Amino acid sequence: MADMNAALRAQGQRTMIIGNRSGVQERDARGEASRVTESAEVITSNADGSVGYNLAGNRPREEASTEMCVRARLTNVRLYDARQPSIPRDAYLGGSFNQVVDQNAALGTRPMVVANTVFSNGSGGDRLGRPIVLFGNVEVRGASLMTYTANGEAARLALMVDTDYTPAALERLNGTRTVAMLSPSIAGGTQ
């Protein structure tokens, strides 16, 4: 963890969003969830949004994760204020995804982050992958991380609970500035 935190700091990464990915591990005979697990899910970004990460911990955000992995490297990371009623244009990715954006908005769930994924192209360079949109409802602190499939259908990557903007994200959204630091929430804690 110390190595990852140091590498993130060296890239100027700051935690923007933190929550718990919620997953059903077992169902009872009626199909109801009988065991649900939660693990930390984090979106980071550098100051200009050119590099960010979708990180996953092995414990809930309220506990210190002993392992953290990179789910996706991101670029063109755009942070939006889901507390506001407006929907950013770049959240509309086309096709049926646009319906999901509007349906979510009607429920008070709006984009928090829109970003492009980045993958190695196998010959030493990078290629852009599909975009992701993190939708959040700040009142209930719920979120969903979504993209679209090859045929243009909306695809949910994760459901999240206890999801919040970090102080670093709020300072960006509010146009204020504090000392740059990696949020301690990556190493555990409730920030």
Side-chain angles (χ1 to χ4, degrees), residues 3-162:
D3 290 344
M4 178 176 266
N5 282 335
L8 291 168
R9 267 198 273 321
Q11 291 183 22
Q13 295 294 305
R14 296 187 72 187
T15 301
M16 298 287 114
I17 310 288
I18 186 163
N20 283 323
R21 177 183 281 245
S22 182
V24 174
Q25 298 300 310
E26 295 176 10
R27 295 188 179 273
D28 62 20
R30 294 185 325 252
E32 300 291 324
S34 61
R35 188 167 74 98
V36 176
T37 60
E38 293 180 357
S39 57
E41 191 84 9
V42 176
I43 301 289
T44 71
S45 176
N46 63 354
D48 66 3
S50 61
V51 178
Y53 296 95
N54 174 199
L55 304 173
N58 65 335
R59 299 223 170 106
R61 67 176 272 190
E62 298 80 13
E63 302 174 23
S65 285
T66 56
E67 297 174 14
M68 187 70 69
C69 70
V70 176
R71 284 199 197 277
R73 188 164 48 116
L74 307 172
T75 191
N76 197 20
V77 180
R78 287 133 357 219
L79 186 67
Y80 294 105
D81 194 341
R83 302 169 298 181
Q84 302 301 317
S86 61
I87 304 297
R89 262 184 163 200
D90 57 354
Y92 290 98
L93 304 179
S96 66
F97 198 90
N98 292 355
Q99 294 169 337
V100 171
V101 174
D102 291 334
Q103 289 166 351
N104 279 341
L107 300 171
T109 302
R110 300 184 240 347
M112 297 173 87
V113 171
V114 178
N116 296 98
T117 56
V118 180
F119 298 94
S120 171
N121 67 7
S123 42
D126 293 329
R127 68 175 176 81
L128 286 180
R130 292 195 175 104
I132 61 165
V133 179
L134 178 65
F135 292 97
N137 186 313
V138 294
E139 289 183 30
V140 299
R141 299 178 63 220
S144 60
L145 185 61
M146 299 188 70
T147 190
Y148 59 84
T149 63
N151 64 0
E153 296 297 314
R156 186 177 311 139
L157 301 172
L159 284 176
M160 296 167 60
V161 297
D162 302 325

